[in-house]
């Protein structure tokens, strides 16, 4: 389970690529809509299909993970651009982060209830109304027209700009601290099995 999860999460480690796509190819709105449609399709498939083979499961979850990473990158970019436009980036970032924390708590409680009393099929079907609402909101969003005189930055120049960041010792030290702080294999699937099989915690708990 941890091995599969690590494969699925690979798309999150290259978010700068998705940022480049959103900033330079088509539009942020296009990528956001595409990501929601992918997640809608994945939820429908897992919600309605009773037989799912492992390679297909990993493949679909990898694509869905890419859609989520794309959506997260796009939302962050829109928060920054709209904040810069209206001079309220701090407030928008606070609302976004606060909303994510609140929703993650509610999702955890609802997910525990679904896991204990229903099936994962029902859980995926429950996501569909939220994706539809999100799709409507994104479709209503009217992006600001980009300055036609502004030159697009090439992908090579984007990569080169990271050189200054990754040669900064203070930045690398902070990255190491964050990595060591988060690197604890027991805080994952093994601990979940321990809680369920040894301590007999309910899924809701």
């Amino acid at each position: 389970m941890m091995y599969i999860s690590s494969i699925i999460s690979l798309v999150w480690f290259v978010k700068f690529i998705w940022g480049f796509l959103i900033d330079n190819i088509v539009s942020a709105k296009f990528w956001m809509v595409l990501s929601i449609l992918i997640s809608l399709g994945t939820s429908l498939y897992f919600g309605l299909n009773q037989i799912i083979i492992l390679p297909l499961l990993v493949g679909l979850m990898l694509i869905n993970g890419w859609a989520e990473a794309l959506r997260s990158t796009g939302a962050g970019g829109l928060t920054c651009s709209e904040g810069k436009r209206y001079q309220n980036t701090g407030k928008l970032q606070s609302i976004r982060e606060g909303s994510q924390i609140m929703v993650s708590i509610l999702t955890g409680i609802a997910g525990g209830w679904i896991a204990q009393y229903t099936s994962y099929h029902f859980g995926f079907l429950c996501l569909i109304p939220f994706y539809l609402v999100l799709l409507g909101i994104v479709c209503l969003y009217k992006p600001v027209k980009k300055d036609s005189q502004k030159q697009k930055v090439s992908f090579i120049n984007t990569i080169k700009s990271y050189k200054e960041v990754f040669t900064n010792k203070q930045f690398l030290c902070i990255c190491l601290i964050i990595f060591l702080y988060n690197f604890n294999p027991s805080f994952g699937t093994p601990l979940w099995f321990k809680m369920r099989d040894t301590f007999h915690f309910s899924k809701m708990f």
Side-chain angles (χ1 to χ4, degrees):
M1 283 179 68
M2 292 185 72
Y3 180 63
I4 291 170
S5 298
S6 66
I7 294 173
I8 294 169
S9 64
L10 287 175
V11 290
W12 287 89
F13 298 131
V14 287
K15 281 184 73 175
F16 66 93
I17 295 178
W18 316 141
F20 177 82
L21 282 176
I22 291 168
D23 287 341
N24 295 279
I25 300 175
V26 195
S27 66
K29 187 174 180 177
F30 167 82
W31 292 109
M32 293 282 282
V33 169
L34 177 65
S35 73
I36 296 168
L37 292 176
I38 290 172
S39 295
L40 259 173
T42 306
S43 297
L44 269 171
Y45 183 84
F46 286 129
L48 300 175
N49 199 344
Q50 298 296 319
I51 301 173
I52 302 170
I53 59 173
L54 186 59
L56 185 61
L57 170 68
V58 175
L60 285 174
M61 292 306 291
L62 185 64
I63 293 170
N64 190 63
W66 173 68
E68 290 177 358
L70 198 64
R71 194 158 56 247
S72 173
T73 307
L78 287 174
T79 302
C80 291
S81 61
E82 290 297 320
K84 188 176 180 181
R85 181 183 174 192
Y86 294 105
Q87 301 297 311
N88 62 353
T89 305
K91 290 180 180 179
L92 287 178
Q93 290 283 21
S94 297
I95 292 169
R96 181 170 179 251
E97 291 300 319
S99 299
Q100 284 183 330
I101 293 169
M102 183 178 68
V103 169
S104 65
I105 293 170
L106 294 175
T107 302
I109 295 169
W113 186 89
I114 289 169
Q116 185 165 346
Y117 297 108
T118 61
S119 68
Y120 73 88
H121 299 287
F122 178 73
F124 276 104
L125 291 175
C126 285
L127 292 173
I128 293 173
F130 293 98
Y131 285 133
L132 290 173
V133 170
L134 185 58
L135 183 63
I137 292 170
V138 173
C139 287
L140 289 172
Y141 171 70
K142 295 179 180 179
V144 180
K145 290 183 179 180
K146 292 183 179 180
D147 188 357
S148 58
Q149 295 180 346
K150 186 180 178 182
Q151 293 183 346
K152 288 187 176 181
V153 181
S154 70
F155 185 69
I156 300 298
N157 289 333
T158 302
I159 297 298
K160 286 180 179 178
S161 68
Y162 285 98
K163 183 181 179 182
E164 186 178 342
V165 176
F166 286 102
T167 53
N168 184 302
K169 291 182 179 179
Q170 186 179 11
F171 172 77
L172 294 175
C173 183
I174 292 169
C175 286
L176 180 63
I177 291 169
I178 293 172
F179 173 78
L180 294 174
Y181 178 77
N182 287 293
F183 184 75
N184 193 333
S186 66
F187 277 70
T189 308
L191 182 61
W192 188 85
F193 276 104
K194 192 77 174 175
M195 289 189 295
R196 187 192 68 179
D197 300 335
T198 305
F199 302 137
H200 303 293
F201 292 165
S202 69
K203 293 175 182 177
M204 185 66 184
F205 181 82

